[in-house]
Amino acid sequence: MNARTEKGAGPHVEDPIRILLIEDMEVEAEITRRHLQASGIGHVMRRVETDESMRAALATFKPTIILSDFTLPTFDGLSALAIARECAPDIPFLFVSGTIGEERAIEALRRGAVDYVLKSNLARLGPAVKRALEEAAAKAVRRDQQAQIARLTGVLRMLSGINSVVVRIHDRGELLQEACRLAVSVGSYPAAIVAMKQARTQALEAVAWSGMEQAEAAKLCECIARRSGQDRFGTFLDTDGERALVRHESGDCGGASEQSGASREVVSRHVIGLPLIVDKTAIGVLVVCTRERGAVGEEESRMLREVAANLSFALQYLQQDSRVRLLSYFDVLTGLAKRTLFCERVDRLIRGSAKLGARYAIAVIDVENLSVVNDAFGRHGGDLLLQLLADRLKRRFRDTDRLAHFAGGTFALVQPAAGAPQACIDNLTNELNDLLIEPFAVEGKDVPVAARSGIAICPDDGREAEVLVQRSEAALWTAKTSGKRHRHYSAEQHSARLARVALERKLRVALERQQFELYYQPKVAVKTRRIEGVEALIRWNDPDVGLVSPAEFLPILEQSGLIVEVGDWVLERAAADCLAWQQLGLPPVRVAVNISPLQLHLPDFVARFLRHTQAWATPESGLDVEITEGALIDESSVEVGKLKMLRAAGASIAIDDFGTGYSSLGRLAHLPIDTLKIDRTFIDGMIVDPRGRKLVSIIIEIARAFKMQVVAEGVETQEQLDTLWQLGCDQSQGYLHSKPVTRDQLAELLQHGKGRYILPKDTPALQSEAHSSENPRSA
């Protein structure tokens, strides 16, 4: 290296940058210096021109940026770039050359150079260097941020691990030793100690440690006490029991001759002390060592305080030998309070601020589709998701005493609610929405999470914690049933919920006491007026009020899951009635039974269906299936396979209320469907609106194209029937022909004329009663 190549320049920058220049000509180096100086870039420059000298300069000179010519007599720019990527990948590398062409420049940028400047246009050099340094600084900031995130993640895992240990381990010594081990192995601290106050001497004694030997732990305690000016608690512990975090620079701990090298390394580090409090008295201290001075930020400090607080809580309950109480208060998985402790804390919070007129929002949050995560990743995957969500809640809502985990995917929190109630609710729901924007990483997979919440405001919705939590849960139930993400408690909605609960209870009793009945409505051939089938429709004969409209109780059956049991009863009863008609020698008829999506989802649904008909059904007599369009959103689903099996066994499949759901022409071609039932809304509109008539005509043509039959529902006038005959509809069902009738009444209809005609004028006893607007559906 030429001795003249290392020079200083630039009075404009107080802290000059260090430039490593790869250039074989001193004249060119001098020109480069002057351009940099003219751009106000203060610098110290070292010039090299060989492989060996570049490697040496990278090791000793520690450059801020590298500038390189592209072609040198014994060296070349791409080789220099390769060395820089190998030895100093974070230092920006910029070509300054008169020989680099466009193709080689592109190749250089691809290999990691940040820019290139032509020697014929050195006016760009200053801006290019500044931009490269700014980008390098930004990358360094991002690296530091990523390192900080990794550090905080480690501390968070340490906190979670210690929370689990607090519940699992009930021996004090083992608990404290495990806490120190987790601080080192999971939290990545170089060393950790727990020192306890000795009752007789009041001195600190190391009782657990990790990352050092026992003698080193004892010397560190002595060093800290000496630096604090006393040999007892020093600055770490406050006698008033405050959970303080004290940063302490241990420095030199006496004569170096008294310490091993390892001990000197430990005690020279920055240490952090966190008091352990039992019954508002400091009984010991948790000490963690850090590798860098001032490296602990506020977020890390908060988590360390929580570690100490949880250890303090555990020590207090261990001291009282109250393992059962501890387990009843804290959730093992998340470390959060359970419902009982949460309500106690909320009550204390409300009482403590009652005179100030403070308001609080209590939210109960429920994670949706947690079972899907359990199915995909196993139970441990679901548990991990709950831990990650709990950690995110802790970061978002700093005071963990105001958080709880009730059970499963249900969490709770309480927050101050300043301002108008609706504004408070909006602010809280926005925070909850923000909490779940980013997916959770479960076993290397990004898992998006959605949740619903119910919110109650104190004192508007109650003044006691248990009441407020119950009302938040009532609002959560309303959110679930209404499809909303968040709901505020409403007394009216709560009353409606109680009524629904009471109705559900009555429906369970109705099933047990055989209060349900089946009625049958004929499906009549439009051309021949012959009965070609019937639809089974359920009725509830409530002893208190008489027949109850299906519209009132069917949604409750669906939501409660009772529809499965009731649906089994419907299949059994419909099969028994159909067989009875067959045994009476009546004209054969097929009975269509409405099947709920919940029934169709049952793994053994096909077997449940066929066990009622397999022994006696014929092509002319048996049970058929009616389903809604929404039950078959995915034509490749398992449910489609079940319908194909039923169809192969002789059952006909119909889509009920066609045109009101999700069907498309492309899907119809692949679904095992035999019949389309046109919804009554289209039938009502086809007489008064030509477009309605056209729509019905199109549905009929679609059915023809796919070789399906068409049944028109809700036919109530002769004009409607005549129009359906003109359009080529196959069957008609509605009050024009017959209201839904009992099993015995249908037997009379079938017997009359052997089913050839329905409701002739000379049989007034069987004439349809004055029809109502009710259009009952079956289970």
Side-chain angles (χ1 to χ4, degrees):
M1 179 185 71
N2 190 321
R4 295 177 58 200
T5 58
E6 185 166 338
K7 296 184 179 180
H12 303 294
V13 179
E14 294 181 2
D15 189 11
I17 64 173
R18 303 172 69 81
I19 298 177
L20 179 60
L21 179 65
I22 303 168
E23 173 62 64
D24 62 312
M25 298 180 65
E26 176 59 25
V27 172
E28 296 288 349
E30 186 61 29
I31 294 173
T32 300
R33 287 191 199 97
R34 292 182 179 180
H35 275 278
L36 291 172
Q37 184 177 0
S39 297
I41 300 175
H43 64 277
V44 175
M45 181 181 291
R46 177 176 292 186
R47 183 175 67 85
V48 298
E49 55 186 277
T50 65
D51 180 318
E52 295 77 14
S53 59
M54 178 183 176
R55 291 180 183 274
L58 288 174
T60 60
F61 182 63
K62 306 293 185 185
T64 312
I65 189 170
I66 301 171
L67 306 181
S68 176
D69 197 354
F70 193 83
T71 305
L72 294 88
T74 60
F75 200 26
D76 69 272
L78 290 180
S79 298
L81 176 58
I83 293 171
R85 295 301 90 196
E86 174 191 348
C87 301
D90 297 329
I91 298 176
F93 190 104
L94 192 149
F95 278 106
V96 181
S97 175
T99 60
I100 190 170
E102 183 176 353
E103 291 184 0
R104 290 191 291 184
I106 293 173
E107 177 63 15
L109 294 174
R110 189 185 66 81
R111 295 192 186 188
V114 298
D115 204 350
Y116 67 93
V117 176
L118 298 177
K119 289 183 177 179
S120 59
N121 186 21
L122 287 176
R124 282 194 63 243
L125 180 60
V129 168
K130 291 177 181 178
R131 183 171 60 253
L133 293 174
E134 289 170 355
E135 292 176 354
K139 288 181 180 178
V141 169
R142 288 195 293 272
R143 285 196 302 273
D144 291 342
Q145 291 173 340
Q146 291 169 354
Q148 180 70 2
I149 290 172
R151 180 182 179 88
L152 290 177
T153 299
V155 178
L156 194 58
R157 289 176 178 170
M158 162 194 163
L159 171 60
S160 181
I162 289 178
N163 286 343
S164 179
V165 164
V166 159
V167 178
R168 179 168 50 86
I169 298 178
H170 308 290
D171 176 78
R172 192 181 82 159
E174 184 181 355
L175 168 66
L176 298 178
Q177 186 60 48
E178 183 65 4
C180 290
R181 186 192 70 79
L182 288 170
V184 174
S185 62
V186 179
S188 299
Y189 292 105
I193 308 170
V194 173
M196 302 298 288
K197 172 184 174 182
Q198 300 307 300
R200 187 174 60 84
T201 64
Q202 298 295 297
L204 282 175
E205 179 180 338
V207 297
W209 53 86
S210 184
M212 61 179 70
E213 300 297 328
Q214 181 177 3
E216 295 167 345
K219 287 180 180 179
L220 181 55
C221 285
E222 295 171 4
C223 173
I224 292 171
R226 190 175 301 117
R227 297 283 291 175
S228 301
Q230 52 184 327
D231 60 358
R232 289 178 171 81
F233 271 26
T235 59
F236 283 119
L237 302 177
D238 298 321
T239 55
D240 64 356
E242 283 296 315
R243 291 176 179 172
L245 180 146
V246 182
R247 295 175 174 83
H248 191 87
E249 197 65 33
S250 57
D252 186 17
C253 191
S257 61
E258 298 176 2
Q259 304 174 59
S260 67
S263 181
R264 287 196 301 273
E265 179 185 356
V266 169
V267 300
S268 65
R269 290 174 178 146
H270 188 69
V271 297
I272 299 171
L274 303 109
L276 301 175
I277 311 297
V278 172
D279 292 332
K280 297 186 177 181
T281 301
I283 65 166
V285 62
L286 170 64
V287 179
V288 294
C289 302
T290 66
R291 289 188 171 86
E292 299 174 14
R293 181 178 303 179
V296 178
E298 180 58 33
E299 181 71 7
E300 185 176 353
S301 298
R302 182 190 65 78
M303 288 189 281
L304 288 173
R305 290 191 192 95
E306 187 173 348
V307 168
N310 290 347
L311 282 176
S312 297
F313 185 89
L315 289 172
Q316 177 169 353
Y317 277 85
L318 286 174
Q319 180 174 296
Q320 297 172 352
D321 194 23
S322 187
R323 174 188 174 189
V324 174
R325 188 177 181 189
L326 181 64
L327 289 172
S328 68
Y329 273 177
F330 282 94
D331 175 61
V332 178
L333 186 65
T334 63
L336 295 176
K338 289 185 177 179
R339 184 190 187 105
T340 301
L341 179 58
F342 177 73
C343 287
E344 289 180 8
R345 288 173 169 176
V346 172
D347 273 330
R348 285 198 298 269
L349 188 65
I350 293 172
R351 287 195 301 269
S353 57
K355 294 181 180 179
L356 302 177
R359 299 159 61 85
Y360 295 95
I362 291 85
V364 176
I365 308 149
D366 190 66
V367 177
E368 292 189 305
N369 300 323
L370 183 60
S371 61
V372 175
V373 178
N374 287 330
D375 292 342
F377 298 96
R379 181 61 182 268
H380 67 282
D383 289 347
L384 176 58
L385 176 63
L386 293 178
Q387 288 175 328
L388 294 172
L389 177 55
D391 292 340
R392 200 175 284 186
L393 281 166
K394 293 173 187 176
R395 290 196 297 269
R396 171 72 66 166
F397 304 99
R398 300 302 182 87
D399 190 346
T400 56
D401 282 356
R402 299 186 179 187
L403 299 174
H405 180 209
F406 286 178
T410 304
F411 293 80
L413 61 88
V414 55
Q415 290 293 301
Q422 190 56 50
C424 300
I425 293 167
D426 291 342
N427 290 336
L428 182 55
T429 55
N430 288 337
E431 286 200 81
L432 294 175
N433 289 335
D434 292 343
L435 189 74
L436 301 176
I437 289 176
E438 295 296 326
F440 293 83
V442 178
E443 296 186 357
K445 306 283 187 182
D446 284 345
V447 178
V449 170
R452 299 185 192 276
S453 69
I455 300 169
I457 301 293
C458 171
D460 304 49
D461 301 320
R463 296 177 181 270
E464 296 180 1
E466 187 61 40
V467 171
L468 289 164
V469 168
Q470 289 176 357
R471 291 180 174 175
S472 296
E473 290 173 326
L476 173 62
W477 184 88
T478 303
K480 290 180 178 180
T481 55
S482 65
K484 302 291 185 181
R485 284 281 162 220
H486 311 283
R487 277 288 192 177
H488 177 215
Y489 171 77
S490 163
E492 293 79 8
Q493 292 172 349
H494 184 54
S495 298
R497 181 195 176 194
L498 293 178
R500 291 173 74 91
V501 170
L503 180 57
E504 180 182 335
R505 189 162 47 245
K506 289 190 68 175
L507 287 170
R508 292 184 185 278
V509 172
L511 180 61
E512 294 171 1
R513 298 181 179 178
Q514 298 288 311
Q515 293 174 1
F516 291 113
E517 299 176 4
L518 275 193
Y519 279 60
Y520 300 92
Q521 188 171 39
K523 294 187 288 185
V524 178
V526 172
K527 292 184 178 179
T528 66
R529 304 299 196 271
R530 186 184 184 90
I531 300 176
E532 293 186 339
V534 297
E535 180 181 1
L537 301 167
I538 193 169
R539 296 289 187 271
W540 174 25
N541 194 355
D542 185 350
D544 298 329
V545 298
L547 285 178
V548 180
S549 168
E552 294 184 29
F553 66 84
L554 279 179
I556 307 299
L557 291 178
E558 290 277 0
Q559 293 163 12
S560 65
L562 275 173
I563 193 69
V564 173
E565 296 176 67
V566 174
D568 280 344
W569 176 86
V570 169
L571 287 172
E572 181 180 1
R573 173 53 56 194
D577 290 347
C578 190
L579 177 60
W581 297 326
Q582 186 186 88
Q583 292 172 341
L584 288 173
L586 297 174
V589 65
R590 296 197 66 85
V591 180
V593 177
N594 285 270
I595 300 300
S596 161
L598 287 179
Q599 290 176 269
L600 193 57
H601 292 336
L602 293 172
D604 61 342
F605 172 70
V606 174
R608 285 172 179 249
F609 186 94
L610 294 179
R611 73 185 177 197
H612 298 296
T613 61
Q614 213 163 18
W616 57 270
T618 67
E620 295 79 21
S621 178
L623 298 188
D624 292 329
V625 171
E626 288 192 11
I627 55 173
T628 60
E629 297 176 65
L632 296 176
I633 294 176
D634 180 5
E635 62 264 21
S636 64
S637 67
V638 175
E639 284 64 41
V640 173
K642 295 174 186 176
L643 294 180
K644 289 180 179 178
M645 294 172 65
L646 290 177
R647 199 181 188 201
S652 175
I653 312 297
I655 289 185
D656 199 13
D657 300 333
F658 181 76
T660 62
Y662 304 93
S663 291
S664 68
L665 295 182
R667 295 181 64 252
L668 279 177
H670 302 287
L671 293 176
I673 303 300
D674 301 291
T675 303
L676 299 182
K677 298 192 74 176
I678 304 175
D679 186 69
R680 66 178 300 140
T681 55
F682 299 118
I683 303 303
D684 291 341
M686 71 178 181
I687 301 301
V688 297
D689 187 352
R691 291 175 299 180
R693 176 187 174 108
K694 185 62 177 177
L695 185 57
V696 171
S697 175
I698 290 173
I699 294 175
I700 294 171
E701 290 174 4
I702 290 172
R704 291 285 176 269
F706 291 110
K707 298 181 179 179
M708 299 177 185
Q709 282 202 323
V710 185
V711 179
E713 296 184 289
V715 178
E716 299 185 351
T717 68
Q718 186 64 42
E719 187 178 7
Q720 290 174 337
L721 184 62
D722 293 341
T723 301
L724 291 171
W725 181 82
Q726 294 168 5
L727 295 177
C729 183
D730 297 301
Q731 293 179 353
S732 169
Q733 177 183 346
Y735 276 71
L736 175 65
H737 308 299
S738 172
K739 68 173 184 177
V741 295
T742 65
R743 175 185 61 182
D744 294 338
Q745 288 174 320
L746 183 68
E748 291 183 49
L749 289 176
L750 294 174
Q751 178 65 35
H752 180 81
K754 292 297 181 182
R756 184 177 305 279
Y757 298 100
I758 182 168
L759 299 182
K761 295 180 181 180
D762 56 351
T763 54
L766 296 178
Q767 289 290 339
S768 172
E769 296 179 7
H771 60 267
S772 68
S773 59
E774 174 188 339
N775 183 29
R777 311 302 314 145
S778 76

